[in-house]
Amino acid sequence: MIRSKLPNVGTTIFTTMSELAVQTGALNLSQGFPDFNGPPALLDAVGRYVAAGHNQYSPMTGLPALRQQVAAKVERLYGAQVDSDREVTITHGATEAIFCAIHAVVQAGDEVIVFDPCYDSYEPSVVLAGGRCVHVQLGADDFSIDWQRFLDALSPRTRMVILNSPHNPSGALITRQDLDQLARLIADRDIYVLSDEVYEHLVYDGACHASILAHAQLYARAFVVSSFGKTYHVTGWKTGYVIAPPMLSAELRKVHQYVNFCGVTPLQCALAHYMAEHPEHIDELPAFYQAKRDLFCGLLADSRFTFTCTTGTYFQLVDYSQIRPDLSDVDMALWLTHQHGVATIPISTFYQQPFPEQRLLRLCFAKREETLRQAAEKLCAI
Ligand code: PMP
Ligand code: GLN
């Protein structure tokens, strides 16, 4: 018998539902990824860099040109002045960034506060570091942070708090006031902040993303994580980054150099080139995805699902209480896939203690118009 280090972990819901979608031929609105390609100029650049021989290890911390582009971007967007050599590290997707940030500072017996519903990779990374997650529920309706609950969860063992805004799965946004509250509550404590900002460019209706990078007091103790996969429609490239003050970056790099050593060289070259040539790409992203959100929500208005249009990410939550209140969300997701040909994500899987009465599914709208129309037709027929 193997003594598992992760006895409570199975295959992720994203893998499970995507596999089921393939097996059943269902439209896949479950796992979050676009069903369209990245920008042609970005894709073409990869081929050119491969042919030109950029095929050996990149520097451990990431290609300098890409780190410089990241630093320039965060200065332009958030007014943050970060040293691309000492504060930016390119990682194998945000997943590796999160793993390394946790392992850099979480020690055996430490506690890490996470807000439920929370992304699935946080807790296993904490457990493997010898720590323990303390789960704080977000508001059941608006997924906002109740700072009193956070205060109640703090203990002398709290070593880290993990934020995620725009939030997967709800799309909720943390505000500047939230960040000020957090800064005040942890000011005198030895607590690090891990800020998962992979959907930083996917905010709608003119809202602004409140980045930790724009909050000097919090940034001094933070790891800020993002993903080129989301931003450039290339999730399979698994390329992301962490920005952290020099001393924290140095600790993170000690872990990163043995987890992955370095990212994929021609992909980093292509991203650096594309970012330099097309700074407008990120400026256009909110409108690009807002149009998809509006199309999809407009089509779903004729269904028996109820929802409020998401404010961020490429996920839309829908309530199915008027359709099958008898089914748990996991059973509803299975029923929808098998009987109606649309795969979704049940959000109870993002909770340590799900609300038994919650009837919510997550739908990914990072899809071509044709896919969204086909999915909406199926969902409206139920
Ligand atoms: N954090 C969140 C909130 C996510 O939704 C994802 C999804 N992929 C990740 C991290 C991981 O990103 P990556 O694919 O770049 O590893
Ligand atoms: N982040 C993606 C989602 O939330 C999934 C990525 C993965 O499958 N690991 O759907």
Side-chain angles (χ1 to χ4, degrees):
M1 260 291 268
I2 296 174
R3 238 180 89 222
S4 175
K5 296 181 77 174
L6 295 171
N8 303 322
V9 170
T11 303
T12 79
I13 189 68
F14 309 116
T15 304
T16 305
M17 292 310 298
S18 274
E19 281 180 2
L20 190 64
V22 171
Q23 274 166 27
T24 59
L27 291 171
N28 190 0
L29 305 193
S30 63
Q31 191 178 25
F33 62 87
D35 73 344
F36 47 88
N37 222 337
L42 173 63
L43 309 181
D44 290 349
V46 178
R48 279 202 311 278
Y49 283 106
V50 168
H54 294 268
N55 300 308
Q56 309 309 330
Y57 297 128
S58 75
M60 179 273 276
T61 57
L63 199 76
L66 184 55
R67 286 190 275 101
Q68 284 155 17
Q69 284 300 324
V70 169
K73 178 191 90 167
V74 300
E75 175 157 21
R76 176 162 79 85
L77 294 187
Y78 309 124
Q81 290 188 334
V82 301
D83 177 341
S84 65
D85 285 332
R86 296 163 69 221
E87 297 178 77
V88 182
T89 307
I90 306 298
T91 56
H92 194 67
T95 311
E96 195 229 339
I98 291 163
F99 186 90
C100 293
I102 290 170
H103 279 258
V105 296
V106 173
Q107 312 232 2
D110 283 349
E111 292 176 356
V112 175
I113 296 183
V114 296
F115 295 97
D116 280 7
C118 82
Y119 187 60
D120 69 341
S121 85
Y122 305 154
E123 183 145 29
S125 303
V126 169
V127 170
L128 287 174
R132 185 174 84 81
C133 278
V134 174
H135 294 256
V136 173
Q137 297 272 22
L138 292 173
D141 296 324
D142 63 358
F143 298 91
S144 64
I145 297 177
D146 179 333
W147 290 105
Q148 185 57 49
R149 278 191 207 150
F150 171 79
L151 192 58
D152 295 343
L154 282 175
S155 91
R157 287 175 179 269
T158 311
R159 187 64 50 233
M160 180 181 257
V161 49
I162 305 184
L163 301 179
N164 171 215
S165 179
H167 179 242
N168 180 4
S170 74
L173 306 180
I174 284 174
T175 62
R176 172 73 195 198
Q177 289 71 34
D178 286 317
L179 298 185
D180 289 340
Q181 277 279 22
L182 175 63
R184 197 172 56 76
L185 296 176
I186 64 174
D188 301 324
R189 295 173 184 255
D190 189 14
I191 295 178
Y192 300 98
V193 178
L194 170 53
S195 187
D196 180 345
E197 304 186 9
V198 299
Y199 300 104
E200 63 182 316
H201 305 298
L202 278 54
V203 291
Y204 310 126
D205 307 315
C208 276
H209 167 58
S211 176
I212 295 272
L213 290 163
H215 198 292
Q217 206 185 335
L218 285 177
Y219 176 64
R221 50 169 85 203
F223 298 91
V224 180
V225 169
S226 193
S227 169
F228 298 102
K230 319 284 177 201
T231 303
Y232 296 98
H233 317 309
V234 286
T235 59
W237 287 15
K238 292 301 294 185
T239 305
Y241 62 83
V242 191
I243 304 180
M247 296 231 302
L248 288 183
S249 288
E251 284 304 313
L252 175 126
R253 289 168 176 185
K254 290 183 191 172
V255 182
H256 163 72
Q257 69 184 346
Y258 296 121
V259 171
N260 205 47
F261 186 70
C262 68
V264 179
T265 303
L267 300 185
Q268 294 183 67
C269 296
L271 284 164
H273 173 79
Y274 187 78
M275 285 179 81
E277 297 286 308
H278 295 280
E280 78 289 354
H281 175 91
I282 52 176
D283 303 327
E284 292 167 357
L285 265 188
F288 174 80
Y289 272 117
Q290 187 171 324
K292 292 193 179 293
R293 180 203 68 171
D294 290 347
L295 171 73
F296 194 46
C297 289
L299 294 166
L300 286 186
D302 294 332
S303 76
R304 289 195 291 150
F305 292 95
T306 54
F307 56 88
T308 312
C309 284
T310 191
T311 49
T313 74
Y314 45 46
F315 301 119
Q316 177 63 52
L317 291 185
V318 295
D319 188 310
Y320 62 89
S321 322
Q322 292 181 19
I323 302 173
R324 290 297 305 266
D326 56 314
L327 294 183
S328 71
D329 63 353
V330 172
D331 288 341
M332 181 70 182
L334 293 174
W335 182 75
L336 265 186
T337 313
H338 285 289
Q339 303 299 321
H340 295 280
V342 182
T344 60
I345 295 289
I347 78 155
S348 60
T349 53
F350 288 62
Y351 285 90
Q352 184 187 43
Q353 281 187 311
F355 294 104
E357 71 283 8
Q358 205 168 47
R359 294 283 178 269
L360 294 175
L361 295 174
R362 191 197 80 177
L363 281 63
C364 174
F365 58 81
K367 306 293 166 189
R368 288 170 288 138
E369 179 174 340
E370 183 194 345
T371 312
L372 294 176
R373 287 190 184 280
Q374 283 172 6
E377 195 178 325
K378 288 176 189 291
L379 295 170
C380 288
I382 302 169

